[in-house]
């Protein structure tokens, strides 16, 4: 499978109407236990989560981790993430990402495609192991084998939401020991996290922002809320290591999750357009202008060099997205963004508000912000 065809599958919700597998969304399956005390601050309806700027230490952790986090694509087009956890070339991921398939395609951070084989999968716990021979003897991510995370620990969520590789979001542990069922899987003792996760994050690592160790597998998201859930790594290591030592000769069939394949977590062009604008501003806030610039279309880049683009944010201290209003416009999506900007003007901090209109669409099989224009609405 070549790269262009792989990306076409991921974006098929736009160009062919097919679904993209990813984070399982929780709808009416959350029990009363979720109502226990939590440190999570109420989020707005547009699924925004405010993030602290990435520290230098976190940047080092991200740089060391990204080339050991992979995009996984099953033969039916289902897509998620996985990460290298041992020196045998074994990736940990979610069972719902690779259900009912043996062969998968693993895409590296530099876009190389490698064949992988599912060597272990659970019908009860949402975990699986994919072996990639080409990664044998590669250095794995450091993992936390014993200690559990605590409330308000800072975390990093890595993965490929909506097919956007090398995506990193930041947050905190905002709840412990969460429980719910999404048939056929039982989720027990979960971490509740504020780091935003989206379809395609499934199976990606949750990393302690101080130690750089993987502490969990990102697995589910509460529908329409900025709440994610991650399976603690110490809870499933014994299970997955048995598969690494003795791979399954035959794989069990996994029944469909609640609502049937894809229902509850299909992505639409509107979902994808909204996410890429969110990701654009997250990158700006983290000072990652290279990523932000890569998200805009070639025509826009042609009229605006990277140096000019970067210079345009030289006085920007922070950007808060107040609201995003997406609207289908032919084959593209128009996203109206209302933002609040803190700027350093002559040594004084000024607060300004802007309204911007973006056109988001597909360019060379990738989602891009094709154009944008805006105006200041108040200050």
């Amino acid at each position: 499978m070549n790269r262009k065809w792989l990306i076409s599958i991921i974006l098929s919700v736009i160009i062919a109407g097919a679904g993209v597998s990813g984070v399982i969304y929780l709808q009416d399956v959350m029990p009363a236990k979720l109502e226990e005390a939590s440190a999570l601050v109420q989020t707005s309806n547009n699924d925004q989560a405010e993030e602290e700027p990435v520290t230098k230490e976190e940047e080092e952790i991200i740089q060391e981790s990204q080339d050991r986090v992979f995009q996984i694509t099953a033969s039916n087009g289902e897509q998620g993430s996985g990460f290298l956890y041992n020196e045998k070339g074994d990736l940990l991921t979610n069972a719902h990402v690779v259900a009912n398939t043996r062969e998968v395609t693993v895409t590296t951070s530099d876009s190389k495609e490698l064949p992988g084989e599912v060597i272990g999968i659970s019908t009860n716990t949402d975990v699986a192991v994919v072996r990639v021979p080409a990664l044998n003897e590669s250095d794995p991510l450091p993992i936390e084998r014993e200690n559990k995370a605590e409330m308000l620990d800072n975390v990093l969520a890595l993965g490929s939401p909506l097919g956007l590789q090398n995506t990193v979001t930041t947050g905190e542990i905002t709840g412990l020991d969460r429980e719910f069922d999404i048939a056929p899987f039982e989720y027990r003792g979960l971490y509740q996290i504020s780091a935003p996760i989206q379809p395609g994050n499934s199976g990606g690592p949750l990393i302690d922002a101080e130690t750089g160790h993987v502490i969990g597998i990102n697995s589910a998201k509460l529908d329409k809320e900025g709440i994610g859930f991650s399976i603690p790594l110490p809870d499933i290591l014994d299970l997955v290591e048995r598969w690494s030592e003795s791979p399954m000769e035959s794989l069990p069939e996994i029944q469909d999750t609640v609502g049937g394949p894809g229902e509850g977590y299909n992505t639409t062009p509107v979902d994808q357009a909204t996410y890429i604008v969110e990701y654009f501003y997250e990158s700006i806030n983290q000072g990652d202008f290279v990523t932000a610039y890569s998200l805009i279309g070639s025509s826009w880049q042609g009229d605006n060099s990277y140096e000019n683009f970067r210079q345009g944010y030289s006085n920007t201290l922070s950007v808060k997205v107040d609201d995003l209003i997406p609207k289908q416009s032919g084959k593209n999506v128009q996203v109206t963004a209302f933002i609040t900007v803190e700027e350093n003007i002559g040594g004084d901090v000024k607060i300004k508000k802007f309204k911007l209109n973006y056109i988001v669409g597909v360019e060379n099989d990738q989602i891009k912000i094709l154009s944008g224009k805006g105006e200041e609405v108040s200050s």
Side-chain angles (χ1 to χ4, degrees), residues 60-69 141-142 156 158 205 207 212:
E60 293 173 353
I61 291 172
I62 291 168
Q63 291 173 358
E64 294 173 355
S65 302
Q66 284 183 320
D67 62 353
R68 288 172 279 183
V69 180
L141 283 176
L156 307 169
L158 279 67
I207 295 178

Side-chain angles (χ1 to χ4, degrees), residues 236-279:
I236 51 86
L237 273 179
D238 287 346
L239 176 64
V240 300
E241 288 183 337
R242 285 201 298 270
W243 295 330
S244 291
E245 291 296 326
S246 301
M248 288 182 169
E249 294 184 1
S250 62
L251 301 178
E253 181 177 353
I254 307 295
Q255 61 177 295
D256 294 336
T257 56
V258 170
E263 185 170 331
Y265 52 91
N266 276 347
T267 57
T268 66
V270 167
D271 293 330
Q272 294 176 315
T274 302
Y275 181 78
I276 199 170
V277 174
E278 291 176 344
Y279 187 34

Side-chain angles (χ1 to χ4, degrees), residues 81-349:
S81 303
F83 60 94
L84 189 65
Y85 91 99
N86 65 18
E87 295 180 349
K88 297 179 179 180
D90 293 343
L91 310 184
L92 281 187
T93 188
N94 283 135
H96 75 260
V97 172
V98 296
N100 304 318
T101 186
R102 170 71 80 168
E103 306 299 328
V104 300
T105 298
V106 173
T107 306
T108 67
S109 59
D110 57 356
S111 301
K112 294 179 180 178
E113 294 182 1
L114 307 173
E117 178 184 4
V118 180
I119 63 169
I121 191 168
S122 174
T123 58
N124 182 61
T125 303
D126 193 6
V127 295
V129 174
V130 173
R131 177 157 291 174
V132 184
L135 298 177
N136 184 41
E137 297 185 356
S138 297
D139 292 333
L141 283 176
I143 59 177
E144 180 55 61
R145 294 182 170 273
E146 298 180 358
N147 298 322
K148 293 287 191 72
E150 299 181 356
M151 289 287 287
L152 301 183
D153 282 356
N154 292 323
V155 294
L156 307 169
L158 279 67
S160 301
L162 305 180
L164 296 170
Q165 288 184 260
N166 297 323
T167 298
V168 182
T169 55
T170 63
E172 296 177 335
I173 299 291
T174 56
L176 301 172
D177 296 322
R178 299 311 194 195
E179 295 185 2
F180 50 82
D181 294 339
I182 303 178
F185 304 115
E186 297 178 356
Y187 297 85
R188 299 291 182 265
L190 301 182
Y191 298 136
Q192 179 179 310
I193 61 175
S194 63
I197 58 176
Q198 296 287 344
N201 273 116
S202 279
L206 184 70
I207 295 178
D208 187 299
E210 293 185 2
T211 66
H213 289 187
V214 180
I215 60 173
I217 303 174
N218 300 320
S219 303
K221 173 189 175 183
L222 184 59
D223 193 22
K224 298 181 181 179
E225 298 292 342
I227 305 175
F229 298 91
S230 184
I231 301 172
L233 208 58
D235 291 352
I236 51 86
L237 273 179
D238 287 346
L239 176 64
V240 300
E241 288 183 337
R242 285 201 298 270
W243 295 330
S244 291
E245 291 296 326
S246 301
M248 288 182 169
E249 294 184 1
S250 62
L251 301 178
E253 181 177 353
I254 307 295
Q255 61 177 295
D256 294 336
T257 56
V258 170
E263 185 170 331
Y265 52 91
N266 276 347
T267 57
T268 66
V270 167
D271 293 330
Q272 294 176 315
T274 302
Y275 181 78
I276 199 170
V277 174
E278 291 176 344
Y279 187 34
F280 175 83
Y281 282 116
E282 288 173 7
S283 300
I284 294 296
N285 274 328
Q286 294 177 2
D288 186 358
F289 299 103
V290 172
T291 294
Y293 188 71
S294 73
L295 298 178
I296 68 177
S298 59
S299 178
W300 194 358
Q301 288 182 350
D303 295 332
N304 188 16
S305 69
Y306 172 75
E307 290 74 18
N308 289 337
F309 175 84
R310 173 67 182 85
Q311 183 64 29
Y313 291 96
S314 60
N315 294 325
T316 301
L317 300 176
S318 69
V319 180
K320 179 180 180 294
V321 178
D322 300 313
D323 198 9
L324 293 177
I325 303 175
K327 179 182 178 181
Q328 192 77 44
S329 178
K331 64 180 181 180
N332 297 326
V333 176
Q334 176 180 301
V335 179
T336 301
F338 295 87
I339 64 174
T340 299
V341 179
E342 284 188 339
E343 293 185 341
N344 184 347
I345 307 297
D348 295 327
V349 176

